[in-house]
Amino acid sequence: MKKEVLIILGSPNSPSGKLSDISLSRLNYCVNHYQKGNLILCTGGWGAHFNTSEHAHAALAKRYLLENNIPEDVFLDFALSGNTVEDAVKAKEILSKLENIRLTIITSDYHVKRVKLIFNEILENYTMDFIGVKSNLDTDVYEVLEQHEKSAIDAIVKNGLYY
């Protein structure tokens, strides 16, 4: 039986380190679906568009998961990434040291198409499930994010991935 690795993709937090609703929805999915024997990989370093706090987003995510009864010893190294492509590239380095694993990539509903495109290329040799957690955003905010995703996907389709 393959060991499951839950990968929670980074998302915004405030300059003071407060996790956004998007972050909390992803992390709560992880809390609710974690089972003994799973491993957890948190992604997210810093970036003007999602984290300008002094702490890496992955560290903030781990702290939240620990506060919600996820055991310390199940965490893999952080993937200190600045974007979705780096999530996959840096996760691949960490995962390459493990054998007989399957991946569950946890992101948001509006982001899951692009995540599939990127992770299926960069981590093509892994068995993966993709979870698009409902984001519960205002319609106008959601539409802006969806438009951003559509543009990003179009660019990948047109130009390929650079990593």
Side-chain angles (χ1 to χ4, degrees):
M1 178 129 158
K2 291 187 179 218
K3 190 178 262 299
E4 184 172 8
V5 180
L6 303 170
I7 302 176
I8 305 115
L9 298 192
S11 48
N13 54 260
S14 75
S16 67
K18 183 178 187 293
L19 295 166
S20 67
D21 289 344
I22 292 170
S23 298
L24 292 172
S25 67
R26 295 177 186 186
L27 292 165
N28 287 330
Y29 182 93
C30 180
V31 168
N32 293 328
H33 289 80
Y34 170 81
Q35 295 178 347
K36 189 172 169 52
N38 292 165
L39 296 171
I40 295 178
L41 195 164
C42 298
T43 77
W46 295 269
H49 60 291
F50 76 101
N51 181 19
T52 58
S53 80
E54 62 181 289
H55 302 288
H57 178 79
L60 299 170
K62 179 180 178 180
R63 184 176 70 202
Y64 180 86
L65 294 170
L66 289 170
E67 288 167 358
N68 284 276
N69 303 315
I70 302 290
E72 171 86 43
D73 63 352
V74 305
F75 288 91
L76 298 170
D77 290 342
F78 295 148
L80 295 176
S81 49
N83 58 56
T84 310
V85 173
E86 285 185 8
D87 285 339
V89 170
K90 291 178 183 284
K92 185 176 183 177
E93 287 174 39
I94 295 162
L95 297 168
S96 69
K97 300 173 185 118
L98 304 172
E99 291 181 359
N100 201 26
I101 57 171
R102 67 186 177 86
L103 312 178
T104 298
I105 295 98
I106 302 168
T107 189
S108 298
D109 47 9
Y110 63 83
H111 192 225
V112 76
K113 274 188 197 151
R114 181 158 58 111
V115 171
K116 283 182 180 178
L117 195 62
I118 293 167
F119 276 68
N120 280 330
E121 177 171 328
I122 296 172
L123 294 166
E124 63 186 342
N125 296 325
Y126 291 89
T127 303
M128 290 180 275
D129 289 314
F130 296 90
I131 306 299
V133 180
K134 185 162 174 41
S135 46
N136 295 317
L137 298 166
D138 290 338
T139 306
D140 51 343
V141 174
Y142 187 84
E143 286 173 0
V144 168
L145 289 168
E146 277 218 307
Q147 189 53 52
H148 169 76
E149 291 302 313
K150 184 180 181 327
S151 300
I153 289 168
D154 290 347
I156 291 169
V157 170
K158 182 178 175 193
N159 304 317
L161 278 178
Y162 296 97
Y163 58 95

